[in-house]
Amino acid sequence: MKKFSLFLLLCLFLVHCSSTEPTTEEVKLPVPEIKETYLYYIGDRGQGFDIYRWNSATRKEEQVTDGLGWEWQPIPVPEKNYLIYNSTDTVGNFQRRAMRPDGTPLDIDLPPIDDFIPNPQGEKLVWQKKDEVDAQLWVASMENLSDSMPITEMKGYNGRPKWSPDGNQILFIGDQSGSNELYLYDLPSAKTRRITDNELREKYTSWTKDGKSIVTTMAEEEMPNDIYRIDLATLEVTQLTKTSINESEISMDPQGCYVSYHAQLDGRDDIFLLELETKDVLQITSKGYHGETVWMEAKE
């Protein structure tokens, strides 16, 4: 009986050892998903300005418009998966056009206003009305301009509107205090909130995807722009750049990795990316004038 018990224990020991032997089979780990995000900008490499896009995953550029005239000011409408932009033909006739993210023309009726900015949902628009003294901002639905209403009543300049990602707020610049300041208009409550109060010149702005903060350029008079981030809950300001380069036309990457901007370096106007985590700067264009950066997540 003892011999049988010892034999049984030996068998169990051998089974245990064989089950814990390391395998030589290759273990394949999951490949992390790389989400494609496109950066759009204009360049004058051809007869006039054309629109280009840069893929953040592949880091490759492609030209998406090639008209005989000029194309500029791309504006994403991400919820509808298209962009609108300005164009002129060879004799200067102006038209607002629409395209898919890859540049395929899109035949849709656009409101007959030259400088309107659609919200991300493609349902509302904001535009600027000027007279001899003031510049005010108005809002309407994309399909019916008869419901237009002013959202600013402050004297002086009110402009450069930027929609929040949820389409419920509009960030804009007003100069009634004597210098450019940032204001935030809330559509549901019809109330305006002042965001900045300083002696600096705010000019270019962009929202973070979560709508909890913004990035903006600020500068003293006659000094180059630097980029700052503002928390909208606390109004805490964080400076992101401090250089002699004039960072302009900024845009926040939807994934929160980069702030893109247009700057002049060595006599050339190019597009740069500030990587927020490392503070590294990547130049992505060369040869010619480039500007007007905007981001859009890929849905193709």
Side-chain angles (χ1 to χ4, degrees):
M1 186 69 179
K2 289 183 179 179
K3 290 183 179 181
F4 179 79
S5 299
L6 289 173
F7 176 75
L8 180 61
L9 288 173
L10 179 61
C11 291
L12 290 173
F13 175 77
L14 291 174
V15 170
H16 174 72
C17 289
S18 63
S19 66
T20 57
E21 281 292 319
T23 178
T24 58
E25 184 180 351
E26 182 182 358
V27 177
K28 293 183 178 180
L29 298 176
V31 177
E33 179 183 357
I34 299 176
K35 191 172 183 62
E36 288 187 329
T37 306
Y38 294 120
L39 175 64
Y40 292 83
Y41 47 87
I42 64 170
D44 67 348
R45 305 174 203 173
Q47 296 179 344
F49 281 106
D50 295 300
I51 299 174
Y52 298 81
R53 73 173 183 178
W54 182 84
N55 188 316
S56 65
T58 64
R59 297 201 168 193
K60 293 182 179 180
E61 176 196 78
E62 62 182 317
Q63 185 174 339
V64 293
T65 67
D66 189 17
L68 296 178
W70 288 27
E71 294 89 34
W72 74 99
Q73 197 183 18
I75 303 173
V77 186
E79 297 300 319
K80 300 287 188 179
N81 199 33
Y82 68 82
L83 299 92
I84 65 170
Y85 62 97
N86 296 338
S87 72
T88 57
D89 60 20
T90 55
V91 295
N93 295 316
F94 175 86
Q95 186 177 359
R96 297 302 287 278
R97 296 180 181 274
M99 66 178 177
R100 289 299 183 193
D102 64 355
T104 303
L106 187 61
D107 186 17
I108 59 175
D109 291 329
L110 296 174
I113 302 173
D114 289 348
D115 61 350
F116 74 87
I117 309 294
N119 70 356
Q121 293 72 31
E123 298 169 348
K124 295 183 180 297
L125 58 86
V126 60
W127 82 100
Q128 186 188 64
K129 279 188 177 182
K130 298 180 181 179
D131 58 28
E132 295 181 357
V133 179
D134 302 320
Q136 305 294 348
L137 294 175
W138 287 62
V139 167
S141 70
M142 285 281 285
E143 296 181 352
N144 184 10
L145 295 180
S146 64
D147 63 358
S148 300
M149 66 173 189
I151 64 169
T152 60
E153 298 177 349
M154 300 176 287
K155 297 295 183 181
Y157 172 87
N158 298 277
R160 296 186 176 274
K162 291 290 180 68
W163 288 94
S164 62
D166 64 6
N168 287 327
Q169 296 178 302
I170 300 173
L171 180 70
F172 66 94
I173 290 173
D175 69 354
Q176 45 279 116
S177 67
S179 66
N180 282 8
E181 303 291 354
L182 298 180
Y183 295 84
L184 192 60
Y185 179 82
D186 182 76
L187 270 73
S189 66
K191 292 183 179 180
T192 300
R193 176 189 178 201
R194 183 168 173 172
I195 302 301
T196 60
D197 186 1
N198 55 49
E199 298 300 320
L200 302 177
R201 178 190 69 238
E202 287 81 7
K203 189 171 184 179
Y204 301 103
T205 61
S206 182
W207 287 82
T208 58
K209 184 179 180 179
D210 61 11
K212 295 180 179 179
S213 60
I214 60 169
V215 288
T216 183
T217 62
M218 291 192 280
E220 296 180 5
E221 291 299 325
E222 308 303 326
M223 295 297 290
N225 295 329
D226 281 310
I227 303 175
Y228 297 76
R229 186 169 187 159
I230 302 177
D231 184 293
L232 293 178
T234 64
L235 299 188
E236 179 182 357
V237 179
T238 303
Q239 187 167 359
L240 300 180
T241 64
K242 190 175 183 180
T243 70
S244 60
I245 298 173
N246 191 43
E247 293 105 350
S248 303
E249 298 171 340
I250 63 175
S251 184
M252 173 67 83
D253 163 27
Q255 297 186 83
C257 299
Y258 304 105
V259 177
S260 61
Y261 59 90
H262 154 216
Q264 189 176 80
L265 186 64
D266 298 329
R268 299 190 305 269
D269 291 82
D270 284 305
I271 305 301
F272 298 83
L273 302 181
L274 170 67
E275 189 171 13
L276 294 177
E277 183 175 349
T278 65
K279 299 300 187 291
D280 291 339
V281 174
L282 173 67
Q283 180 177 343
I284 65 171
T285 64
S286 61
K287 299 180 181 179
Y289 180 97
H290 302 88
E292 299 184 350
T293 70
V294 292
W295 291 89
M296 185 174 181
E297 288 184 295
K299 293 184 179 181
E300 297 173 307

